[in-house]
Amino acid sequence: IQRDKPVDVWGWAKPGDEVSVKFSGRSGSGTADKDGNWRVQLPAMEANSEPATMSISAGDNTLTFENILIGDVGLLCGQSNMQWGIGASNEGNLEVVSANFPNIRMLTIPQIFGPELKTNFPRAEEYSQITGEEQTRGDWQICTPETVGSMSAIGYVMARRIHMASQVPIGIVNTSRGGTTVEAWTPLTRLRKLDAPEVKARLAAADEQLASYSPEEDLKKQIAKFEAKVEQMKKEGKDISKM
């Protein structure tokens, strides 16, 4: 949890439920709205490396989250150079085997797609082409040699250096996605509020492209492209059994 800033805690419950949040000697309460959304704000707290427990109660249900630290939280955004894992970097194996930092925590957001605004994300097991292994996304992990391999190389090195210099807990949230622009994962409602001519022009072009897009025609083009590739491979005497 970010130090020296008010702590926002949010989630979902039955509409109208009273929600109580307790953490590190502080407490707060709120009410779930008609859609079940609730948000409670706790006062700012100083950095603390001692693990603390948060309990959230609503109705007859209570959730307990343990081993929470208070320090600095960083957000990693960018393309493949930010997404690239430390385990796949030059001499990354040396970094991995020495990555015993229990006060560094890492969260990688799962790859979820679509034009709708996302209010949540799942825990997910995803295959990494970079490491050649399954990796857990969507959940906080303690930095160890077993967990750090698929962590952003830039993010890990930054977190380690800041942690060693400041001696406060560091949390890293990795939202980077190779081959994307920042507009692709910024809510449209935010983009449409910007007055910059470049943004307005880009949105207008995107709106026009979406309006004229035909999934059926696009599928036909993709099939034709695939069939042409197969024919070309046949002419070149290449194996098409895996196509």
Side-chain angles (χ1 to χ4, degrees):
I1 288 177
Q2 176 61 47
R3 62 172 168 162
D4 303 329
K5 298 285 185 180
V7 179
D8 278 324
V9 185
W10 72 94
W12 301 266
K14 294 179 181 178
D17 268 4
E18 290 294 320
V19 180
S20 173
V21 179
K22 297 179 180 180
F23 176 67
S24 194
R26 279 80 167 177
S27 62
S29 60
T31 304
D33 64 19
K34 61 181 179 63
D35 296 317
N37 302 302
W38 60 266
R39 184 179 294 269
V40 173
Q41 189 175 84
L42 302 179
M45 306 175 205
E46 295 180 351
N48 193 341
S49 299
E50 291 296 319
T53 298
M54 178 182 291
S55 65
I56 304 172
S57 300
D60 297 328
N61 299 312
T62 299
L63 290 175
T64 301
F65 300 94
E66 300 177 335
N67 199 8
I68 300 175
L69 309 181
I70 304 173
D72 287 327
V73 180
L75 181 64
L76 302 179
C77 306
Q79 298 193 356
S80 54
N81 54 358
M82 182 67 83
Q83 186 180 0
W84 190 262
I86 185 67
S89 302
N90 291 341
E91 300 186 11
N93 58 322
L94 298 179
E95 297 287 355
V96 169
V97 298
S98 60
N100 288 294
F101 294 99
N103 286 350
I104 295 178
R105 308 294 172 82
M106 307 170 298
L107 168 62
T108 299
I109 305 300
Q111 297 197 11
I112 49 178
F113 302 93
E116 303 83 9
L117 180 66
K118 304 298 187 292
T119 59
N120 195 11
F121 52 83
R123 294 176 179 176
E125 294 289 332
E126 293 183 0
Y127 175 77
S128 170
Q129 292 182 327
I130 295 176
T131 64
E133 300 173 349
E134 291 288 331
Q135 56 193 27
T136 301
R137 294 176 178 263
D139 202 1
W140 284 101
Q141 294 183 315
I142 297 173
C143 180
T144 68
E146 290 73 34
T147 62
V148 78
S150 60
M151 176 61 186
S152 160
I154 296 174
Y156 166 69
V157 171
M158 179 187 74
R160 185 194 64 198
R161 290 184 177 182
I162 293 176
H163 173 61
M164 293 177 72
S166 66
Q167 292 299 301
V168 303
I170 301 295
I172 292 295
V173 181
N174 183 7
T175 70
S176 55
R177 190 69 50 82
T180 59
T181 61
V182 66
E183 293 90 349
W185 35 275
T186 303
L188 268 176
T189 51
R190 298 287 183 88
L191 290 175
R192 295 195 188 282
K193 291 180 180 179
L194 299 178
D195 291 327
E198 297 88 350
V199 177
K200 289 183 176 296
R202 187 159 199 153
L203 286 174
D207 289 340
E208 183 179 350
Q209 186 177 10
L210 284 172
S212 61
Y213 176 73
S214 168
E216 294 81 6
E217 291 301 316
D218 187 53
L219 179 59
K220 290 178 183 178
K221 291 179 182 178
Q222 296 297 333
I223 292 174
K225 184 178 178 180
F226 172 78
E227 290 175 343
K229 182 177 180 179
V230 172
E231 286 301 314
Q232 183 63 33
M233 290 177 67
K234 286 180 180 179
K235 290 179 181 178
E236 296 173 358
K238 293 181 179 179
D239 179 20
I240 64 168
S241 63
K242 295 183 179 180
M243 292 295 290

